[in-house]
Amino acid sequence: MNQKYQEIVKKNSPKENVLINAVVAFITGGIMGIIGQALIDGYTTWLDISTKEATVCMLVTLIFFTCLFTSLGFFDKFVNFCKCGLIIPITGFAHATMSAALEYRKEGLVTGIGMNMLKLSGAVIIFGVVSSFVFSLLRMVVGLI
Amino acid sequence: MIYLNAFLFAGFVCMIAQIILDKTKLTPGHITVIFVVLGAFLDIFNIYDQIILWAGGGALVPITSFGHNLTHGAIHGYNTEGVLGLFSGTLDLTAAGISAAIIFAFFMSLIFEPKD
């Protein structure tokens, strides 16, 4: 009975086309990379700042527009279509933060927005900090030898 | 030329992530974490710096650069301040991104209603 059910589920669940998804992610992710490089070039020439500062400006710009588009409601559709093409760039981090903040805003400023804003993106910060601590410790030990 | 490299590298990272997402049962959260850890790992011997020189913005946009900046800050902190720098330097370079996300998300969630 259970086995039969599994077979029916397998037959009727929609097949995700791995190839098309991969190509879409490749193209949209690549376009994000081009936008990033174009913003860096633009900031270094127009504002006359170093590449390092331009990188920070570029990231802040991307985060700002992601937050804006998420609040206006149409960034979710982009993410549903591009999937990893928008999740892996920094836009995914901003999108997770923004949508959590919007989702919980009804529960109040502190208990809603404050406690839940980093619910999804907190994993990135925590694992990033822990792993970078471990890796730099490793580098330190290797450097001492 | 750097635009082509940026396109290829950023696209390649996203494609790998998409294939992992489709072929395994991991959620997008798992995959982002994997790529952050990978970026932090690639910075140990300055491999990621070489990639940034090659691909420019294409290497700075994916979340791997977040991990790279964390490790970079921690190592820089250690070189300038000693062991205490491991703690004070970690978030140095990524602080702008995290703060920007929190500040924009906070004020925009006050202004906008969630759309369904």
Side-chain angles (χ1 to χ4, degrees), chain A residues 110-124:
Chain A
V110 176
T111 51
I113 297 176
M115 285 174 154
N116 294 302
M117 187 192 274
L118 294 176
K119 206 168 197 176
L120 301 164
S121 46
V124 172

Side-chain angles (χ1 to χ4, degrees), chain A residues 46-85:
Chain A
W46 293 328
L47 300 180
D48 200 23
I49 49 180
S50 71
T51 314
K52 212 166 195 177
E53 288 167 308
T55 304
V56 175
C57 289
M58 179 270 285
L59 290 177
V60 172
T61 314
L62 284 182
I63 289 169
F64 175 78
F65 281 106
T66 309
C67 287
L68 189 67
F69 292 161
T70 310
S71 324
L72 293 173
F74 53 88
F75 202 79
D76 292 319
K77 285 169 200 153
F78 292 172
V79 172
N80 280 339
F81 176 71
C82 310
K83 298 195 182 75
C84 278

Side-chain angles (χ1 to χ4, degrees), chain A residues 4-60:
Chain A
K4 228 175 185 176
Y5 174 74
Q6 293 289 344
E7 275 172 23
I8 293 170
V9 166
K10 215 173 189 180
K11 215 166 78 182
N12 288 321
S13 58
K15 272 183 193 155
E16 298 226 16
N17 198 327
V18 179
L19 187 71
I20 288 179
N21 280 347
V23 170
V24 168
F26 181 79
I27 292 172
T28 47
I31 289 171
M32 288 310 298
I34 288 181
I35 292 174
Q37 179 60 36
L39 282 173
I40 291 177
D41 281 352
Y43 282 135
T44 41
T45 44
W46 293 328
L47 300 180
D48 200 23
I49 49 180
S50 71
T51 314
K52 212 166 195 177
E53 288 167 308
T55 304
V56 175
C57 289
M58 179 270 285
L59 290 177
V60 172

Side-chain angles (χ1 to χ4, degrees), chain B residues 6-83:
Chain B
F7 181 81
L8 288 178
F9 184 79
F12 180 71
V13 171
C14 294
M15 189 179 71
I16 298 285
Q18 184 62 46
I19 291 170
I20 298 172
L21 184 70
D22 282 343
K23 290 283 184 192
T24 59
K25 283 183 180 162
L26 299 174
T27 63
H30 286 106
I31 291 166
T32 344
V33 166
I34 290 172
F35 275 85
V36 170
V37 174
L38 188 73
F41 175 75
L42 282 178
D43 194 63
I44 305 180
F45 298 109
N46 295 331
I47 302 167
Y48 207 80
D49 286 326
Q50 301 297 321
I51 301 176
I52 289 177
L53 281 181
W54 183 72
L60 292 165
V61 168
I63 199 82
T64 39
S65 85
F66 193 81
H68 147 78
N69 276 338
L70 287 169
T71 311
H72 213 77
I75 290 172
H76 183 74
Y78 174 71
N79 287 336
T80 50
E81 293 175 49
V83 180

